């Protein structure tokens, strides 16, 4: 193999982290992204590259070396293509962005747990859990970067990590009518999130795409699994998401059919 390859699922937030990092380095198109259809059985040749693990994205180097985990792949690209640098150069500033990055997994777990919930009685508790994560991030930013827009002077490492997750939370706005309250304890993280969402290096997906592709998550079925009574995943490549109608917003009532979702 004569080129770097990333095997990924389209609209995957962990893959978008890599796309953002490469865009910031001016390397969009320099790495080949091989599309994997999550709705179909995994290719045995691909499975053989990561025995015992099906998580994507994975990176295969020119010499056949295989790496996985999005943060590991980001660091590989940062080391392999050191200029322009995305991670902070100053050791303390780099440590600060690593501390902030460490907060992302709990935010992700709270957001995905919220959208996949099927019990209306749990909605308020799940909303509060997510808001607690946002409040913690706000407190961090208020301590280490009170007056900036981004964590440091420019959109950088931490923003590349968080922005894809902020974009996936468009599914919470749509299916749970979620929004950050207009309160002081969310003001700093609200400013940061808005700037992240608007940054030109992070425009690989759209709100419409997220809402349509992630409909099955709102019905409690993730990673290509099918909700009861359905035969086609909302992650299916065809019909293309742009040709489908917007899904129903009500997630606790009757499930939409394949036909109502424009999947057949």
């Amino acid at each position: 193999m004569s080129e770097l390859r990333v095997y990924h699922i389209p609209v995957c937030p962990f893959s978008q982290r890599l796309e953002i990092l490469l865009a910031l380095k001016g390397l969009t198109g320099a790495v080949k992204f091989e599309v994997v259809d999550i709705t179909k059985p995994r290719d045995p040749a691909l499975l053989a590259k990561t025995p015992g693990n099906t998580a994507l994205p994975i990176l295969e180097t020119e010499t056949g070396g295989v790496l996985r985990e999005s943060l590991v792949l980001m660091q590989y690209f940062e080391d392999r293509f050191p200029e322009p640098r995305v991670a902070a150069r100053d050791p303390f500033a780099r440590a600060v962005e690593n501390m902030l990055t460490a907060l992302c997994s709990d935010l992700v777990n709270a957001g995905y747990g919220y959208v996949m919930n099927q019990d209306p009685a749990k909605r308020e508790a799940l909303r509060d859990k997510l808001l607690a994560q946002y409040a913690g991030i706000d407190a961090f930013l208020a301590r280490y970067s009170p007056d900036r827009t981004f964590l440091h002077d420019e959109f950088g490492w931490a923003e590349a990590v968080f922005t894809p997750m902020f974009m996936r939370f468009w599914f919470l706005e749509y299916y749970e009518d979620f929004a950050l309250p207009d309160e002081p304890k969310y003001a700093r993280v609200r400013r940061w999130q808005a700037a992240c969402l608007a940054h030109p290096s992070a425009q690989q997906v759209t709100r419409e795409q997220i809402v349509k592709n992630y409909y099955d998550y709102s019905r409690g079925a993730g990673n290509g699994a099918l909700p009861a009574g359905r035969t086609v995943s909302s992650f299916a490549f065809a019909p293309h998401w742009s040709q489908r109608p917007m899904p129903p917003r009500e997630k606790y009532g009757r499930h939409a059919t394949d036909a109502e979702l424009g999947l057949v």
Side-chain angles (χ1 to χ4, degrees), residues 13-14 17 103-114 130 133 161-162 165-166 169 171:
F14 302 104
R17 285 176 171 176
L103 301 179
C104 191
S105 59
D106 286 343
L107 179 77
V108 171
N109 290 337
Y112 274 73
Y114 189 9
L130 179 59
Q133 295 300 321
V161 170
F162 274 86
M165 307 310 165
F166 292 151
F169 288 179
F171 56 42

Side-chain angles (χ1 to χ4, degrees), residues 32-58:
K32 185 174 180 60
F33 279 74
E34 296 276 3
V35 170
V36 177
D37 188 343
I38 196 175
T39 69
K40 296 180 179 179
R42 194 65 52 87
D43 183 346
L46 181 57
L47 288 173
K49 297 180 189 298
T50 56
N53 192 294
T54 60
L56 295 173
I58 63 170

